[in-house]
Amino acid sequence: IPAEESEEEPAAAEERPDTRLGQQDTAGGSHEGSQEGAAAEETDRDGHREAQEAEQPDRTLATSNKPRKKKKKRKTKKNSAGEAVEDKELEDIESLLERIEEPGLAPQSPGGLTPDSRPLLYVEHRNLNPENELKRYFGARAVLGDQRPRQRQRQYVRSMWLTAPKNTWPRYSKTGITMQLLDTRRGVQHFTFEHHREYQQVQFKFLDAVESMDPNNIVLLLQMNPYHVDSLLQLSDVCRMQEDQEMARDLIERALYSLECAFHPVFSLTSGTCRLDYRRPENRAFFLALFKHLMFLEKRGCPRTALEFCKLILSLDPENDPLCVLLLIDFLSLRAREYTFLTRLFQEWESHRNLSQLPNFAFSVPLAYFFLSQQEERPELERSQARERAARLIQLALVMFPSVLMPLLDHCSVQPDARVASHPFFGLNAQISQSPALNQLTSLYVGRTHSLWKDPAVMAWLEPHTHEVLRMVEAQDTLVQEAEHKRKIRYQSAPRNIYRHIILSEMKEATAALPLEVTSQPVMGFDPLPPLDSIVSYTRPERTSHPSNESTLSLFFRSLLPNFNLQGDIRHDGDDEAGAAQDLNQGVNRLMAAMRDMLANIQFQEPPRDDNPEGDGDWD
């Protein structure tokens, strides 16, 4: 066979140098040694042939690879058969990609249960990019169709995890913010942001601009310092109030970019072991920027990405939770269909955080179990267990927080039956008798998550459990009495982080229930309700001017004419009466001059006359 000959020839050619070397080594030996070497060569060849006859697949591959001329002829005939093979390969690749992307679209599939071994607050970098989530929903062409040609001409910028730098942003330069590692305790690393002297000067100018109550001063400050974080946060709130959502979101992303450029080399977003203390004013901007960014992501329709940012905020300070994102993480988990994560969070943290005492967890966790029981791809045993847990937990939630049911049905435009509507347990008395702190929590939950309860299947599941709770109330079950006792003792006053969360969330139902001591004080967007035990590293210097010493008339004219100064540029601190009288005369002269200028600039518009041929009509 030609294939065997072609394979034997190179093998023999490879063996010849070996035999020559063997002959040179054994030149001084006897003739019998040479005969033994020849016999060994023959046995090696025989063994090589037997190995070739045994390996038939290799021989067939050799025959197909040998004739090159036939290959060229086959290329000309490979139009129909070759295209069919390529199409089949493309189909296989597409099916593999669909299998890879399935956990993103349906995170609760059996393949999505494997990451349970990871830490609870583990953050994945790919889930921090909203474009990845939009690609799963709409496809890569719909998301990146217009951006691909622009990226080729884009200038070099640092690649970031939190945000993607844009061409419209100013060129980045060092702002004076750095991050330092304070200490490491029990495997947890504590970091803090630091402001250098030049950044502190910009911060003082920013506080002056805020006190002026003029957003244009903040705009001027940003023109000189385009990556000053607090200015970006404050101006973002101004743009959002003016319904410019795109600019508000862009400013928040720029603030995140500025902070991420200052990260410490050891600081990790994904490990869940890096901590920042909210009591330090330098760290608060990072918390607030992350929170406002996730709120924009949720409104944009990226709940999975918003959930990842929520986990990131919680991992920065899980013990204190300064922005109280535990009131939000259940809603984002339900919207992103991450039911397994929500139930795991409840199981692991219930023992030491008492999550069931929060209305949002009391109602959202059974709802997550109900959605798990509706997934047909799960085994029947898991579905039945989830159904039982959902029934037990929703009854406990209705017993513990009866004031949630009627507002929730009202927001869902659902009319309860006569028994539920007329029963005093779920009536108006349940809402009036609860404490203001509990009213804030229930109002926040109903206003935020009522859209998740509008599903007819959810309402059909809720109805029988509501009647079961009424039966327990009428039977005077001890569980009902214990829940009433807990409501009276607990929820006396809400902690400061809950007030901060309600202010940042801007839910009108919960904001209306805030106490007077919170609503009476000014709330700034760059630092809402600062902690009472703040750790201040530097203080703002005292201002040279003392407006408190000025009279009411002087303050009035200064409000009309900002450049007006009754005392003048030179202030006399002496007690000389003549000097005081001279100052008074000068102040009166300046006041009269300012009044003349103001009256001279006032112009009155005359009404149109009847004899005016160009008049537009009667003037009334």
Side-chain angles (χ1 to χ4, degrees):
I1 300 175
E4 292 181 355
E5 294 176 0
S6 62
E7 289 182 4
E8 288 173 2
E9 287 174 2
E14 291 175 1
E15 289 173 358
R16 284 169 188 169
D18 298 336
T19 56
R20 289 175 183 173
L21 289 173
Q23 290 176 1
Q24 291 176 3
D25 294 336
T26 59
S30 61
H31 183 68
E32 293 179 359
S34 63
Q35 288 180 355
E36 290 176 0
E41 288 179 6
E42 290 179 1
T43 54
D44 291 339
R45 290 180 183 176
D46 294 337
H48 188 63
R49 289 177 183 175
E50 290 175 1
Q52 286 180 351
E53 291 175 358
E55 298 177 355
Q56 292 181 359
D58 296 340
R59 192 169 59 197
T60 54
L61 287 174
T63 54
S64 61
N65 292 331
K66 204 250 178 190
R68 296 181 180 176
K69 295 182 180 179
K70 292 183 179 179
K71 255 190 174 179
K72 294 180 181 178
K73 293 180 181 178
R74 285 175 189 171
K75 285 183 181 178
T76 58
K77 297 179 181 179
K78 194 186 172 185
N79 291 331
S80 59
E83 290 176 358
V85 172
E86 289 179 358
D87 294 341
K88 189 174 182 180
E89 290 177 354
L90 288 175
E91 290 177 359
D92 294 340
I93 294 173
E94 290 177 356
S95 63
L96 286 174
L97 290 176
E98 289 177 358
R99 290 177 186 174
I100 293 173
E101 292 181 355
E102 272 177 5
L105 290 173
Q108 303 307 320
S109 60
L113 297 177
T114 53
D116 283 348
S117 58
R118 295 174 178 174
L120 180 65
L121 299 179
Y122 179 81
V123 177
E124 295 186 44
H125 279 146
R126 62 186 180 90
N127 290 331
L128 292 175
N129 188 357
E131 290 185 355
N132 294 335
E133 186 173 3
L134 294 175
K135 286 177 192 176
R136 291 197 295 266
Y137 296 153
F138 307 108
R141 273 185 195 171
V143 178
L144 301 176
D146 299 335
Q147 299 179 9
R148 285 176 179 174
R150 296 177 184 175
Q151 287 179 354
R152 297 175 183 174
Q153 302 176 358
R154 189 177 65 182
Q155 58 183 354
Y156 175 75
V157 291
R158 296 176 60 181
S159 60
M160 295 294 172
W161 292 115
L162 298 178
T163 55
K166 299 180 181 178
N167 297 332
T168 56
W169 290 357
R171 187 177 181 86
Y172 178 79
S173 59
K174 290 186 178 181
T175 58
I177 302 180
T178 57
M179 179 183 279
Q180 298 295 331
L181 175 63
L182 296 178
D183 59 354
T184 303
R185 298 190 299 267
R186 298 178 181 177
V188 177
Q189 298 169 327
H190 296 264
F191 295 87
T192 183
F193 285 98
E194 290 185 353
H195 293 173
H196 291 177
R197 184 176 298 275
E198 60 271 14
Y199 193 89
Q200 294 178 12
Q201 299 300 323
V202 180
Q203 187 73 11
F204 298 150
K205 295 178 182 178
F206 164 73
L207 296 176
D208 294 340
V210 171
E211 289 182 356
S212 69
M213 305 298 290
D214 187 1
N216 294 323
N217 294 333
I218 302 178
V219 175
L220 294 175
L221 184 63
L222 276 176
Q223 290 179 357
M224 300 298 295
N225 307 274
Y227 287 95
H228 182 255
V229 179
D230 285 348
S231 298
L232 293 170
L233 295 178
Q234 189 71 24
L235 191 60
S236 174
D237 287 348
V238 174
C239 294
R240 191 168 41 79
M241 293 176 185
Q242 297 176 354
E243 301 299 329
D244 191 355
Q245 301 292 335
E246 188 66 25
M247 178 57 69
R249 182 164 59 89
D250 187 76
L251 293 172
I252 293 297
E253 292 179 359
R254 203 199 301 181
L256 281 177
Y257 177 75
S258 176
L259 290 169
E260 190 173 2
C261 289
F263 277 179
H264 192 274
V266 187
F267 186 81
S268 172
L269 297 171
T270 60
S271 64
T273 59
C274 297
R275 301 287 185 265
L276 287 174
D277 194 349
Y278 192 81
R279 294 177 300 172
R280 297 180 180 271
E282 296 89 347
N283 297 337
R284 295 172 196 166
F286 189 52
F287 282 88
L288 296 171
L290 289 174
F291 188 90
K292 294 181 180 182
H293 184 56
L294 77 87
M295 296 299 290
F296 281 119
L297 289 172
E298 192 273 327
K299 294 178 183 178
R300 191 182 174 188
C302 301
R304 183 66 186 87
T305 310
L307 174 63
E308 210 70 11
F309 275 92
C310 191
K311 290 161 61 177
L312 175 58
I313 297 175
L314 189 58
S315 69
L316 294 176
D317 194 355
E319 297 298 329
N320 300 314
D321 192 11
L323 300 185
C324 206
V325 293
L326 282 177
L327 299 177
L328 175 66
I329 197 168
D330 63 302
F331 169 67
L332 296 177
S333 301
L334 291 174
R335 280 215 53 198
R337 300 178 182 178
E338 290 286 336
Y339 310 127
T340 305
F341 167 76
L342 180 58
T343 56
R344 183 188 172 194
L345 174 65
F346 180 75
Q347 292 171 3
E348 294 187 10
W349 284 27
E350 169 62 18
S351 59
H352 65 283
R353 299 295 290 268
N354 293 326
L355 296 182
S356 59
Q357 302 306 308
L358 295 174
N360 59 312
F361 272 93
F363 281 89
S364 294
V365 172
L367 185 61
Y369 276 119
F370 169 73
F371 286 135
L372 285 174
S373 67
Q374 300 298 308
Q375 293 179 350
E376 298 180 355
E377 66 270 13
R378 290 187 173 274
E380 184 60 32
L381 179 61
E382 291 185 11
R383 294 177 61 186
S384 62
Q385 291 177 353
R387 202 177 296 112
E388 293 174 0
R389 292 177 182 174
R392 178 171 53 85
L393 291 175
I394 191 62
Q395 293 177 14
L396 291 176
L398 290 171
V399 169
M400 187 66 195
F401 306 104
S403 60
V404 174
L405 180 64
M406 298 307 292
L408 184 62
L409 296 178
D410 186 29
H411 278 75
C412 296
S413 303
V414 175
Q415 182 68 29
D417 55 11
R419 184 189 178 195
V420 176
S422 60
H423 203 283
F425 186 73
F426 292 119
L428 187 61
N429 187 28
Q431 303 177 34
I432 297 176
S433 61
Q434 66 181 358
S435 63
L438 184 56
N439 186 26
Q440 295 157 14
L441 295 176
T442 55
S443 302
L444 181 68
Y445 178 74
V446 171
R448 175 176 284 158
T449 61
H450 64 88
S451 59
L452 300 174
W453 293 82
K454 287 185 177 181
D455 190 357
V458 175
M459 283 297 166
W461 162 73
L462 180 64
E463 184 178 4
H465 299 298
T466 305
H467 288 286
E468 178 63 23
V469 170
L470 290 180
R471 188 195 63 76
M472 296 169 59
V473 173
E474 294 170 355
Q476 296 182 356
D477 195 330
T478 57
L479 193 63
V480 179
Q481 298 176 1
E482 291 176 0
E484 184 179 358
H485 181 66
K486 290 178 181 178
R487 285 197 302 272
K488 290 181 179 179
I489 295 178
R490 302 170 183 173
Y491 313 106
Q492 295 299 322
S493 62
R496 200 170 179 85
N497 61 342
I498 291 182
Y499 293 150
R500 196 179 295 124
H501 177 88
I502 293 175
I503 291 173
L504 290 173
S505 300
E506 297 183 349
M507 300 294 301
K508 58 181 181 180
E509 294 88 355
T511 307
L514 286 173
L516 184 61
E517 60 267 17
V518 176
T519 56
S520 59
Q521 55 182 320
V523 177
M524 298 298 176
F526 67 94
D527 190 9
L529 294 181
L532 301 178
D533 55 347
S534 299
I535 302 176
V536 180
S537 58
Y538 64 94
T539 56
R540 181 183 179 189
E542 295 182 1
R543 305 188 65 177
T544 55
S545 61
H546 302 281
S548 59
N549 298 331
E550 298 180 7
S551 62
T552 305
L553 185 63
S554 175
L555 293 175
F556 170 70
F557 278 98
R558 177 167 289 186
S559 65
L560 298 177
L561 304 171
N563 296 327
F564 171 73
N565 186 7
L566 182 63
Q567 282 80 14
D569 296 332
I570 302 175
R571 298 179 183 271
H572 300 278
D573 296 332
D575 295 335
D576 189 13
E577 295 180 357
Q582 186 178 1
D583 291 343
L584 179 62
N585 292 332
Q586 291 178 357
V588 171
N589 293 333
R590 290 193 187 89
L591 179 61
M592 298 301 296
M595 292 180 63
R596 282 195 297 269
D597 293 340
M598 184 177 66
L599 294 175
N601 293 329
I602 295 177
Q603 296 180 358
F604 297 97
Q605 183 178 3
E606 296 182 357
R609 300 177 180 177
D610 295 337
D611 56 351
N612 185 11
E614 298 180 358
D616 295 334
D618 295 335
W619 183 77
D620 294 328

